[in-house]
Amino acid sequence: MTDTFPPNQQFLLAARPVGLPQPHDWQLHEQAVAAPGEGEIVVKVLYLSLDPAMRGWMNEGKSYIRPVAIGEVMRAGGLGVVVASRSPRFAVGDHVAGGTGVQRYWCGPADDKGASFNKIDPRIGNLTAWLNLLGMPGMTAYFGLREVGQAKAGDTVVVSGAAGAVGMTVGQVAKRMGCRVVGIAGGPEKCRFVVEQLGFDGCIDYKAGGLHAALKQHCPQGVDVYFDNVGGEILDAVLTRINLKARIVICGAISQYNVTAPVKGPANYLALLVNRARMEGMVVFDYAARYPEAVAELGAWLAAGEIASHEHVVDGFEQFPQTLLMLFEGRNLGKLVLKVADA
C-alpha cells in the first residue's frame, strides 16, 4: 500500500534501559504499510497514550504482562481512525482505541488480542479524553477506588500523583462519592490545579518538605483509603496516618521505576498489622469486561460538566523519546498524550 499511505515509522526498543531511558535505547524504523488481508484493518494512529507503566514494560523479568522484546515496536495504548478494512467489525472512518504501539500505522487482524481494539464514540468525549478519563487511566481510577479501595461516603481519601492521569480521576470520583479528598503532588502549580480545577479538598506539595506534618494537618482524622501511584518515601509517610481497616491501593510506584539500586519497599508496613489494614495491588486489565460500565458513568458526568478530563498534549511523533521522560521528571499536568497525526 505504499502508493496509498506514506511509510510507517515505528519506535523499536533497541536496548533495555538502565535508569532513565536514553536515546540509544530506541531505534526509529521505517517500513511500508501492508495491505490488509481478509479480516484485517489498517489504523492511522492519531494520539498515543504515554504512561508510567511503559517503563516497567521495558524491563526483562516476570510481570503481569510480558516485557517488550528487543527489536519490537514499543508497546503503547493509542487512538486512531480506520483507513482500510476487510473486516465486518470496523468500517473505514471508525475511530478506535487499543494497543497501537508507538508507530504511525497499525496493521493486522481486527480481533487481534494484543491490540484489543474497541470502537469509540467521539460524541461522548473528545478524542484525547478517550486516552484519559474514558480510557485506561479512567478505568484504573474508577475500579481501583471502588473495587480495591472500597471507598465510601465520609472516608478520607489520599491520592499521590494527584495531578497525573490516574490521580486526577481518583480524586474527582472520590469527591462524587462523598469522600474528603487530599492530593499529593509536586510543586505549587500542580497543587493549585488539583484544588482549584479538580475540586480536591486539599493538596500537599511533597517538594516543599514537611510531608508528615502536612499529612497530619490535612488528614486530622487519619486516612481511610490511600491510592498510591508513587511508592517510596511518600507511601511510608502515609502509612503512619492510616486508620483502622484502611485500604491501600498499590497502582504504581513511579519513584522506583528508574532507580538502579534495589527497589525500596515500605519500612512502615507494620502499620498494616496494628491497624488491621489491607494493601492490595491493582491491574486495570482485570476489569476489562466491565469497562463499558465505567465509560457510561464517567461519560455521563463528563457530558454534564461534573468531572474534567485534562490532557497535556505534545505534538510530533518524533518527539516520543523525550516526551516519555516528562513523566519521570514531573513535567506533565494531567494525562500525557503524544499527537501523531491530524484526524
Side-chain angles (χ1 to χ4, degrees):
M1 299 187 71
T2 52
D3 294 336
T4 306
F5 302 115
N8 185 19
Q9 291 183 315
Q10 307 168 311
F11 273 100
L12 312 182
L13 184 64
R16 302 214 178 275
V18 177
L20 285 170
Q22 301 297 318
H24 60 255
D25 295 323
W26 306 107
Q27 177 191 351
L28 183 59
H29 177 70
E30 194 171 283
Q31 65 180 32
V33 177
E38 188 63 34
E40 295 186 338
I41 58 174
V42 177
V43 177
K44 179 184 177 182
V45 179
L46 303 178
Y47 295 97
L48 288 171
S49 173
L50 302 189
D51 301 287
M54 295 171 72
R55 180 60 187 85
W57 299 341
M58 300 177 206
N59 295 335
E60 192 82 67
K62 184 179 179 182
S63 186
Y64 63 90
I65 191 171
R66 70 166 183 82
V68 177
I70 299 299
E72 184 178 9
V73 175
M74 180 59 202
R75 181 184 296 130
L79 181 150
V81 60
V82 177
V83 291
S85 176
R86 294 187 61 189
S87 166
R89 285 195 61 201
F90 301 108
V92 171
D94 284 346
H95 286 92
V96 296
T100 62
V102 184
Q103 56 186 339
R104 291 186 179 275
Y105 290 89
W106 185 95
C107 315
D111 59 356
D112 182 89
K113 287 183 169 50
S116 296
F117 283 119
N118 289 300
K119 193 183 302 186
I120 65 168
D121 186 350
R123 294 171 298 180
I124 298 176
N126 62 39
L127 290 179
T128 56
W130 282 96
L131 294 178
N132 188 13
L133 180 72
L134 303 175
M136 186 173 70
M139 303 302 100
T140 303
Y142 184 93
F143 292 110
L145 181 67
R146 292 188 168 207
E147 301 296 328
V148 182
Q150 297 180 359
K152 60 186 184 300
D155 280 347
T156 294
V157 175
V158 174
V159 55
S160 56
V166 173
M168 65 181 290
T169 301
V170 168
Q172 292 183 94
V173 172
K175 283 296 295 179
R176 289 196 58 82
M177 296 174 68
C179 302
R180 172 176 171 76
V181 182
V182 176
I184 301 175
E189 179 188 7
K190 289 187 176 181
C191 285
R192 282 194 299 271
F193 168 72
V194 163
V195 173
E196 296 173 7
Q197 296 191 41
L198 302 181
F200 285 43
D201 294 291
C203 188
I204 297 167
D205 178 3
Y206 73 87
K207 292 183 177 180
L211 180 58
H212 287 271
L215 282 166
K216 187 174 183 179
Q217 175 192 344
H218 285 278
C219 308
Q221 305 301 317
V223 177
D224 300 298
V225 179
Y226 174 48
F227 199 107
D228 186 30
N229 292 303
V230 302
E233 294 178 0
I234 292 177
L235 170 59
D236 258 338
V238 178
L239 283 174
T240 67
R241 296 294 302 164
I242 61 173
N243 288 332
L244 191 70
K245 297 293 184 179
R247 289 82 68 199
I248 294 91
V249 183
I250 303 299
C251 177
I254 195 169
S255 71
Q256 304 295 299
Y257 289 165
N258 294 294
V259 297
T260 54
V263 170
K264 180 183 177 183
N268 294 327
Y269 77 96
L270 285 178
L272 301 171
L273 169 64
V274 173
N275 293 287
R276 282 79 95 196
R278 174 170 56 82
M279 181 184 289
E280 183 176 344
M282 191 272 173
V283 175
V284 68
F285 304 134
D286 294 343
Y287 299 90
R290 296 178 57 190
Y291 288 175
E293 167 191 333
V295 168
E297 188 157 23
L298 293 170
W301 293 342
L302 181 65
E306 297 171 355
I307 194 169
S309 183
H310 185 90
E311 292 81 50
H312 185 141
V313 180
V314 176
D315 194 354
F317 178 76
E318 67 283 352
Q319 303 298 321
F320 166 70
Q322 53 267 48
T323 304
L324 182 65
L325 294 180
M326 291 175 63
L327 290 169
F328 309 109
E329 296 165 353
R331 291 192 287 124
N332 59 299
L333 189 63
K335 169 66 187 161
L336 185 59
V337 172
L338 185 67
K339 182 179 178 181
V340 177
D342 292 319

